[in-house]
Amino acid sequence: MGKVISVVNQKGGVGKTTTAVNLSACLAIAEKMVLLIDLDPQGNTSSGIGIDRKVIGVSIYNILIGETDIKDGIYKTEIGSLFLIPSTMDLIGAEIELVGMEGREARLRRALEQIRDEYEFIIIDTPPSLGLLTINSLTAADSVLIPLQCEYYALEGLSHLLRTIKLVKKSLNPSLTTEGILLTMHDGRTLISNQIFEEVKRYFSNYLFKTIIPRSVRLSEAPGHGKPIIFYDIKSKGATAYLDLAREVIANAEKGLRSGVGSTYS
């Protein structure tokens, strides 16, 4: 059964979509079967992986509101073992439509039950909010990956996010674990980046990935070309970092299979 990882942070601009796209691509080139789900109405994940949003018929919106089967919304990408369920602007209205639906927080989880066995990893990119779409992703997930930008305000938002995750774990998804906190946009030349690293290490060392994503012009450029960083510039620091992250995620999955447990929120 595939491991479902939700990439979550209610703050925008922290590298969430960059992480979802590049982690998925790196897992796929490691010969893992991967499904990437774009749960953000902005659709940056879809375009960042090279899907033309103008030709999208069925999207995650149609699946969530029950208009179509999830298998009809899965698209091939240029990477053989990476598949995508895209997003469109229709998703903006989904949270309002979901409010009146039965089991509204678990719509995505029920849809994924049909296909989980077909993938080794299912990565969900979420919107920069803690609304029903994000709650759906947390309810469907086995674990949460939290990208954290190296700036002070990011730490303030982290505490709020962890409280939300605890509430979801308590009421909707008791088996939810932490995949890890991923430091992004790190610049070792600046005092602030190093201070944030030390603060996160002090309070959340059990959750912190060894991999740190550097601030990188090449990482910023790659989405404009519809390519993950490993296909845009394989020699860049960003590509190396996301390959390292994929190795950590694979190791976590293998460790979880052996032990049957993960890191939990207390």
Side-chain angles (χ1 to χ4, degrees):
M1 181 178 291
K3 183 176 186 180
V4 182
I5 301 174
S6 182
V7 183
V8 177
N9 194 317
Q10 78 276 22
K11 189 177 184 299
V14 300
K16 185 165 48 59
T17 296
T18 298
T19 294
V21 167
N22 289 296
L23 172 60
S24 297
C26 290
L27 289 171
I29 67 163
E31 300 183 343
K32 304 297 181 182
M33 288 293 292
V34 183
L35 176 63
L36 175 59
I37 300 177
D38 189 351
L39 204 59
D40 188 343
Q42 297 177 83
N44 292 333
T45 294
S46 302
S47 57
I49 209 71
I51 299 294
D52 185 355
R53 296 181 71 194
K54 295 177 182 178
V55 302
I56 294 172
V58 176
S59 71
I60 190 62
Y61 166 79
N62 306 104
I63 294 164
L64 286 176
I65 66 171
E67 281 187 351
T68 188
D69 188 272
I70 190 170
K71 293 182 179 180
D72 296 328
I74 298 174
Y75 293 72
K76 294 180 180 180
T77 72
E78 293 182 354
I79 308 171
S81 59
L82 176 59
F83 298 83
L84 172 77
I85 298 179
S87 168
T88 65
M89 294 301 290
D90 291 337
L91 196 57
I92 293 175
E95 296 210 42
I96 298 173
E97 294 181 59
L98 286 172
V99 167
M101 293 184 177
E102 183 178 352
R104 60 192 180 189
E105 300 92 349
R107 306 282 295 187
L108 182 58
R109 179 172 66 188
R110 288 199 296 272
L112 287 177
E113 288 172 356
Q114 302 179 51
I115 59 169
R116 282 190 60 158
D117 291 342
E118 300 176 22
Y119 301 93
E120 292 168 89
F121 291 95
I122 298 174
I123 309 296
I124 308 172
D125 184 30
T126 58
S129 70
L130 293 176
L132 264 177
L133 293 176
T134 299
I135 297 301
N136 259 267
S137 80
L138 293 173
T139 304
D142 296 306
S143 64
V144 185
L145 191 159
I146 305 170
L148 187 71
Q149 186 179 3
C150 291
E151 64 169 36
Y152 280 121
Y153 289 130
L155 279 176
E156 294 181 0
L158 179 60
S159 298
H160 182 51
L161 175 57
L162 291 177
R163 285 195 296 270
T164 299
I165 293 171
K166 287 181 182 180
L167 288 173
V168 171
K169 180 178 173 64
K170 181 178 180 180
S171 58
L172 296 169
N173 187 1
S175 62
L176 186 64
T177 65
T178 175
E179 192 67 28
I181 296 172
L182 176 69
L183 291 180
T184 63
M185 305 181 192
H186 181 270
D187 186 344
R189 299 168 300 178
T190 66
L191 179 62
I192 182 66
S193 282
N194 293 318
Q195 286 179 333
I196 294 300
F197 171 73
E198 292 300 328
E199 285 292 302
V200 176
K201 186 177 178 180
R202 180 182 307 164
Y203 294 106
F204 304 103
S205 59
N206 291 339
Y207 301 144
L208 191 60
F209 279 108
K210 294 178 182 177
T211 301
I212 297 175
I213 308 301
R215 185 174 294 279
S216 166
V217 172
R218 304 301 274 173
L219 271 176
S220 300
E221 292 173 347
H225 296 267
K227 294 180 181 294
I229 188 62
I230 53 171
F231 292 105
Y232 181 65
D233 187 351
I234 187 63
K235 296 181 180 180
S236 66
K237 292 181 180 179
T240 299
Y242 276 110
L243 286 167
D244 288 342
L245 177 63
R247 293 187 187 100
E248 284 198 68
V249 169
I250 291 169
N252 285 349
E254 292 174 349
K255 180 180 178 181
L257 286 173
R258 289 195 298 269
S259 65
V261 299
S263 300
T264 57
Y265 297 97
S266 58

